[in-house]
Amino acid sequence: MSAIPRDQWYVAAYSSEIGTELFGRTVCGEPILFWRTRDGSVTAMADRCVHRRFPLSQAPSRLVDDQVVCGYHGFTYGVDGKCVAVPGQTRVPRTARLARYPLVEQDSFVWVFIGDPAKADASAIPRAPWLDSPGYTTVCGMEPLKARFSLLVDNLLDLSHETYLHGGYIGTPEVAETPITTEVDEAAGIVYVSRHMADAACPPFYAKSTGLEGRITRWQDIEYTPPCLYKLHSRIAPVGSVPNPDGSDPDAFHVEVVYAITPETEHSTHDFWAVARDFALDDEGVSAFLAENNRTVVLQDVEALDVLERVIATEPDGYQELSINIDTGGLAARRLLQRLTGPVTS
């Protein structure tokens, strides 16, 4: 049985990635073809010609007036996926059409529904409004991961690894030393993990972007909505600073770190990352610094998780790992993911 939940929404791309050229990406094992039509909307359909399976995103396939012409034998498809022309005959077989995927553009992401299209409810897509809010400036990227998506979920739900894997960038001793609290909203299917550090060292990632020096108050509040969207609400402020009773927080810097964790296959993942900030909005130097440093942090995770995937592939059946208090968020996420995939059957 697949470990990838189906009948779910997944991020397939950033809106900025898709233009008026054919674009292909595999999501949950399914090759999908995207392009932006002349009216500005994005379409998503199976990236395989019905004739001989040639990938339509592959040259010399091409887009002509919002119609896709297969580069192998010339089968031509409209924006609805229906074949409109075939070589050597005027009759187009009725079954010649590409499967279409429900699609929503939201918060700078392109979401597609993997599974039964009749179950696609756009209102179920979790939000990350900071990514295209005028009150925030965002840097973003995507790194391929040669590991199953659940390993990235584990990684992001337990940020104690920042102390060891990301020292010199985002990690300080206090991250690993500070206990966490974990809550699960069973009805909504969301895991919350919080770590509030009242007096912590300011890591270079924040010292160089905010200008704060010395000790800081640092909050990490995680919100994970399985299977795809992870949000880290990061608050950095001078020691002793807390939000006002009305919720305003003028003495703090706020960073919203968003990950879209999209399986490519059972053993590879699209690791979308974005960092949105509410300070230095027009400072291109801060943007460049955060983009470079966050990508470095992501690549450190990628290297570690790629190694871990290879280790898991060679371990004996029945191997038992050890979990401790810092794993409560990750274990809760595993349980919710299992609930989405359904009962294990032989």
Side-chain angles (χ1 to χ4, degrees):
M1 181 177 178
S2 174
I4 298 175
R6 299 186 67 81
D7 295 333
Q8 301 292 327
W9 291 96
Y10 290 94
V11 170
Y14 290 106
S15 290
S16 59
E17 289 186 274
I18 300 178
T20 55
E21 300 290 335
L22 298 176
F23 178 88
R25 180 159 284 157
T26 297
V27 178
C28 300
E30 301 190 15
I32 305 177
L33 174 72
F34 302 88
W35 78 87
R36 195 172 294 278
T37 64
R38 287 176 294 183
D39 67 7
S41 61
V42 177
T43 187
M45 57 189 66
D47 189 14
R48 291 290 185 269
C49 181
V50 300
H51 178 231
R52 289 294 182 265
R53 305 184 187 88
F54 192 77
L56 296 169
S57 61
Q58 174 72 47
S61 296
R62 62 192 185 278
L63 195 60
V64 179
D65 295 331
D66 272 353
Q67 294 183 334
V68 180
V69 181
C70 177
Y72 193 16
H73 291 102
F75 275 61
T76 303
Y77 304 89
V79 293
D80 60 356
K82 184 178 179 180
C83 184
V84 297
V86 299
Q89 63 186 62
T90 57
R91 186 184 68 84
V92 177
R94 288 181 299 171
T95 58
R97 65 171 57 244
L98 302 172
R100 298 186 69 194
Y101 291 81
L103 180 148
V104 172
E105 280 194 86
Q106 180 173 282
D107 302 331
S108 83
F109 287 134
V110 174
W111 292 83
V112 294
F113 191 80
I114 302 296
D116 181 356
K119 298 180 179 179
D121 176 7
S123 68
I125 300 174
R127 300 301 305 268
W130 318 277
L131 301 188
D132 58 8
S133 166
Y136 285 78
T137 295
T138 300
V139 295
C140 61
M142 193 278 279
E143 299 299 330
L145 184 64
K146 296 178 182 178
R148 64 198 70 185
F149 84 105
S150 59
L151 293 180
L152 182 55
V153 175
D154 281 346
N155 171 278
L156 294 172
L157 267 293
D158 174 17
L159 293 180
S160 68
H161 78 274
E162 287 184 348
T163 299
Y164 307 99
L165 192 60
H166 306 312
Y169 290 91
I170 197 71
T172 66
E174 294 81 9
V175 180
E177 294 168 356
T178 304
I180 62 170
T181 61
T182 300
E183 297 180 8
V184 181
D185 185 330
E186 297 287 351
I190 302 175
V191 180
Y192 299 93
V193 179
S194 293
R195 176 184 278 108
H196 288 188
M197 295 160 273
D199 187 348
C202 188
F205 187 87
Y206 290 125
K208 293 182 180 180
S209 59
T210 67
L212 286 177
E213 298 179 353
R215 311 292 290 183
I216 60 170
T217 294
R218 182 180 180 187
W219 293 3
Q220 295 175 323
D221 293 300
I222 295 168
E223 181 180 347
Y224 172 55
T225 305
C228 189
L229 198 68
Y230 169 99
K231 295 173 283 190
L232 169 62
H233 312 294
S234 184
R235 177 182 183 272
I236 309 95
V239 171
S241 171
V242 295
N244 295 325
D246 64 0
S248 60
D249 199 12
D251 297 326
F253 299 86
H254 302 92
V255 177
E256 301 292 343
V257 183
V258 178
Y259 282 83
I261 307 166
T262 299
E264 178 187 38
T265 67
E266 293 282 351
H267 299 284
S268 60
T269 304
H270 302 301
D271 183 356
F272 296 91
W273 59 266
V275 178
R277 67 183 190 274
D278 69 352
F279 57 93
L281 300 184
D282 299 319
D283 192 321
E284 294 183 2
V286 170
S287 292
F289 171 79
L290 290 176
E292 178 184 0
N293 276 255
N294 202 72
R295 183 170 186 266
T296 297
V297 167
V298 169
L299 290 175
Q300 290 171 335
D301 283 335
V302 167
E303 182 178 3
L305 297 179
D306 286 355
V307 169
L308 187 53
E309 178 69 29
R310 295 195 295 270
V311 169
I312 293 173
T314 60
E315 70 186 16
D317 292 340
Y319 180 85
Q320 295 293 316
E321 64 182 7
L322 175 68
S323 295
I324 57 176
N325 290 343
I326 60 173
D327 299 309
T328 55
L331 293 175
R334 290 183 184 184
R335 180 172 57 80
L336 292 184
L337 286 169
Q338 180 61 56
R339 190 168 77 184
L340 294 179
T341 57
V344 176
T345 58
S346 57

